[in-house]
């Protein structure tokens, strides 16, 4: 059945019903209008509906209303009563003075009453005759009244039929206009398309709600087919728009947005720039979907949900945005790694991967997920749509990939170096905790939020356990490496480097300790940990120093290592943790070891330069050898012993190393201040005894100046070949 046939059927059926039965709706009696005759489009309808007997009747003119018999009877009775009263007034004179006058009056009154009775009876008879004539008249005009009422009702029904037909024609016109818009699709003009859909729905309601319309199935089928096509077209438009505008964000743009976020969080407003609010918002949040497209997507989503296509809308949006998010992360370098992959990875590669992860985690939460949540709320604002579940599903895969990488690193084989990787990841997760709470709202995101919080706790626990393991390693280190030159032990360098690295994460460690401590206690807890590590290192070095057979070298070893500890603390953040008292106390220990070195290494050679005078009270040799009792052979033996000891000390201690130049110079100066004055004094007192020898240089090998130059070669870590040269 085509649109014209459907139109004719609906016209005929509804018009016949109204004309034959009238409008049966209670209280629905529209004002009658002059009957102008049927318009051309409705001639066939009215010809089909018009009754032949009605067609031949002329329109009756209005007639005046006739009085009923009751009205006439009442009027006559009222007239008789008036006449009787008048007669009585006329026949009732004033009372005479005598009986004769009274008798005449009574007689007159009797006559008047009799006459009045006769008049009354006559009038009653006349009224009865008039009543019967009125009834006959009424009976004769009743058929005309019935016909007139039927004609009036027919005219009213025709008017209502015309009105209904005009309304039907208007609906068909709406269908024709809407059909053209629907077939063009929503791409050209979405607003007109949605308006056409609403008009078609109104047509369906028009024909469905009124039960008087019959034979309209064809029209409804055509309209429903158009609505089905419109639903498919609007769904396809939503899919195309989501596919077109759901593209991955370039890594450079994401890193730039993250940099501005970090600058903003640190209060560096100058670096970000004094920008208007909208421009600033665009600077820290990339455009995931152009702002001009968001209203279109909102209108289409609203229409899809109204049409009952919520699942299609849900699926299209989720798949498009999930793909864009995953591609953005893949472009940043995020990949899924197993526990074996992490453990086989070289340390440098692992550091690079974790560095990438920390940046990607911040970009994902601060930039991408925050933006996804925002556009999801905008597109589905005011729509009966489970946007929380949709957001959870589109973000779930990316979030799981990021969290699983960190969890894999936390569960991998532990090492002391991994502590800083754990602290790096823990610091990022703790920083993002408040944003995670906001973004992952609702029951559908609770699993992701719980996974993020559990990862934060896991990283904190692993970091604390590694720190405890390191403390125990410092105590138990039994490295067999013996520093033959007495220089700073590699273990000392490693531990100090570790402590300095810990202090680079001072704020993160304080946050970590706050899990079980208050703020002030967390700060003191960090100081306790650092002090314990330093004390354990010092105890370990004391143990290592006992491995040296040469006690002088043992003191050089302790002096070097403790000086390295003090200098490192003084030049780092550790001075604020350990305090000035710790530095001063350990400086004294360094000086004590230097003094012990001088005593142990140089006491014996200084003894050769000391000769007790016979009967003398001092240690200086007398100017007169004869008077002192010191023989020439004794002086020669002393020179020989001094030369041998000094050459031995020079040969050994020039191989020793004091890496700190200042400490090296100070120690050589301290030795020279003791040795050179004693040597000069010995030469001045006893040099003349050997100078008279044939070969005085055999005994007097080194001048004080040469001796000072040789002292300058001490502690430089020279090899044997370098010494001979």
């Amino acid at each position: 059945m085509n649109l014209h046939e459907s139109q004719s059927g609906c016209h005929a059926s509804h018009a016949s019903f109204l004309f034959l039965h009238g409008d049966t709706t209670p209280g629905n009696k529209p004002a009658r209008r002059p009957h102008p005759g049927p318009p051309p489009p409705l001639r066939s309808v009215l010809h089909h509906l018009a009754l032949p007997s009605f067609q031949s009747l002329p329109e009756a003119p209005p007639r005046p209303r006739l009085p009923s018999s009751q009205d006439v009877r009442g009027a006559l009775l009222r007239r008789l009563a008036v006449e009787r009263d008048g007669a009585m007034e006329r026949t009732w004179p004033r009372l005479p003075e005598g009986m004769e006058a009274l008798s005449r009056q009574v007689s007159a009154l009797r006559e008047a009453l009799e006459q009045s009775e006769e008049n009354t009876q006559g009038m009653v008879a006349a009224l009865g005759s008039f009543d019967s004539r009125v009834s006959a008249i009424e009976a004769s005009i009743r058929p005309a009244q019935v016909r007139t009422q039927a004609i009036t009702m027919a005219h009213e029904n025709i008017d209502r039929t015309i009105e209904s037909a005009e309304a039907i024609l208007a609906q068909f016109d709406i269908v024709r206009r809407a059909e053209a818009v629907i077939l063009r699709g929503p791409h050209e003009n979405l607003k007109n398309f949605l308006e056409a859909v609403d008009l078609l729905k109104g047509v369906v309601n028009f024909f469905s709600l009124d039960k008087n319309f019959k034979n309209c199935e064809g029209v409804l089928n055509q309209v429903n087919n158009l609505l089905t096509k419109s639903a498919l077209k609007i769904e396809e438009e939503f899919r195309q728009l989501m596919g077109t505008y759901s593209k991955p964000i370039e890594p450079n743009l994401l890193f730039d947005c993250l940099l501005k976020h970090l600058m903003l969080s640190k209060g560096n407003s100058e670096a970000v720039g004094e920008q208007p609010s909208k421009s600033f918002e665009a600077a820290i949040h990339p455009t995931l979907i152009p702002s001009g497209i968001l209203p279109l997507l909102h209108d289409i989503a609203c229409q899809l949900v109204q049409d009952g296509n919520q699942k299609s809308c849900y699926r299209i949006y989720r798949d498009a945005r999930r793909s864009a998010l995953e591609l953005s992360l893949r472009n940043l370098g995020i990949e899924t790694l197993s526990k074996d992959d992490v453990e086989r990875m070289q340390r440098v590669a692992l550091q690079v991967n974790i560095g990438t992860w920390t940046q990607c985690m911040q970009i994902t939460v601060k930039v991408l997920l925050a933006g996804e949540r925002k556009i999801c709320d905008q597109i589905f604002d005011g729509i009966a749509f489970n946007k929380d579940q949709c957001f959870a599903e589109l973000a779930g895969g990316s979030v799981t990939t990021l969290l699983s990488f960190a969890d894999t690193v936390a569960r991998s084989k532990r090492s002391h170096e991994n502590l800083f990787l754990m602290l790096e990841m823990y610091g990022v997760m703790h920083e993002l905790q408040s944003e995670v709470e906001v973004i992952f709202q609702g029951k559908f995101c609770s699993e992701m939020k719980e996974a993020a919080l559990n990862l934060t706790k896991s990283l904190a626990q692993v970091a604390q356990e590694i720190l405890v393991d390191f403390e125990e390693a410092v105590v138990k280190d039994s490295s067999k490496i013996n520093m033959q030159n007495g220089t700073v032990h590699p273990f000392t360098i490693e531990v100090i480097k570790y402590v300095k690295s810990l202090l680079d994460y001072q704020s993160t460690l304080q946050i970590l300790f706050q899990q079980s401590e208050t703020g002030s206690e967390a700060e003191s807890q960090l100081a306790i940990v650092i002090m314990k590590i330093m004390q354990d290192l010092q105890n370990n070095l004391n143990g290592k120093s006992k491995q040296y057979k040469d006690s002088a070298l043992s003191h050089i070893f302790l002096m070097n290592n403790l000086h390295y500890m003090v200098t490192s603390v003084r030049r780092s953040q550790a001075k604020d943790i350990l305090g000035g008292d710790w530095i001063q106390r350990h400086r004294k220990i360094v000086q004590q070891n230097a003094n012990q070195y001088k005593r142990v290494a140089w006491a014996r050679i200084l003894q050769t330069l000391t000769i007790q005078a016979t009967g003398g009270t001092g240690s200086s040799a007398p100017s007169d050898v004869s008077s002192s009792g010191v023989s020439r052979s004794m002086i020669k033996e002393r020179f020989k012993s001094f030369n041998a000891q000094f050459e031995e000390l020079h040969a050994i201690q020039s191989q020793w190393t004091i890496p700190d130049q200042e400490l090296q110079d100070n120690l050589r100066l301290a030795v020279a201040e003791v040795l050179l004055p004693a040597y000069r004094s010995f030469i001045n007192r006893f040099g003349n005894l050997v100078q008279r020898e044939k070969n005085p240089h055999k005994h007097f090998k080194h001048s004080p100046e040469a001796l000072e130059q040789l002292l300058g070669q001490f502690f430089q870590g020279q090899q044997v070949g370098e010494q001979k040269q």
Side-chain angles (χ1 to χ4, degrees), residues 26 33 45 48 75 80 88-89 156 258 311 327 403 431 434 497 506 559 590 700:
R33 61 179 180 179
V45 177
H48 175 71
L80 290 175
M88 290 180 67
E89 289 178 358
E156 293 175 354
L258 176 61
K311 291 183 178 180
L327 285 175
L403 297 183
E431 177 189 351
S434 59
K497 180 181 178 182
Q506 181 175 346
M559 181 189 68
V590 172
F700 184 53

Side-chain angles (χ1 to χ4, degrees), residues 350-380:
L350 182 60
Q351 287 178 330
V352 171
N353 276 275
I354 290 179
T356 302
W357 179 89
T358 56
Q359 290 182 326
C360 289
M361 193 68 197
Q362 294 180 84
I363 288 174
T364 301
V365 175
K366 292 178 176 291
V367 180
L368 292 176
L369 291 182
E372 291 291 348
R373 171 63 88 170
K374 182 178 179 180
I375 64 172
C376 186
D377 290 341
Q378 288 178 337
I379 291 175
F380 299 109

Side-chain angles (χ1 to χ4, degrees), residues 231-240 242 300-320 380 385 390:
L232 294 176
K233 287 179 177 292
I234 200 71
E235 180 179 331
E236 182 61 26
E237 181 71 9
F238 189 67
R239 181 180 290 104
Q240 290 182 359
M242 290 302 303
I300 295 176
C302 184
Q303 186 64 52
L304 287 173
V305 173
Q306 289 178 1
D307 292 343
N309 293 333
Q310 181 173 353
K311 291 183 178 180
S312 297
C313 178
Y314 184 99
R315 183 179 63 256
I316 293 170
Y317 182 86
R318 178 199 62 195
D319 293 346
F380 299 109
F385 184 84
C390 185

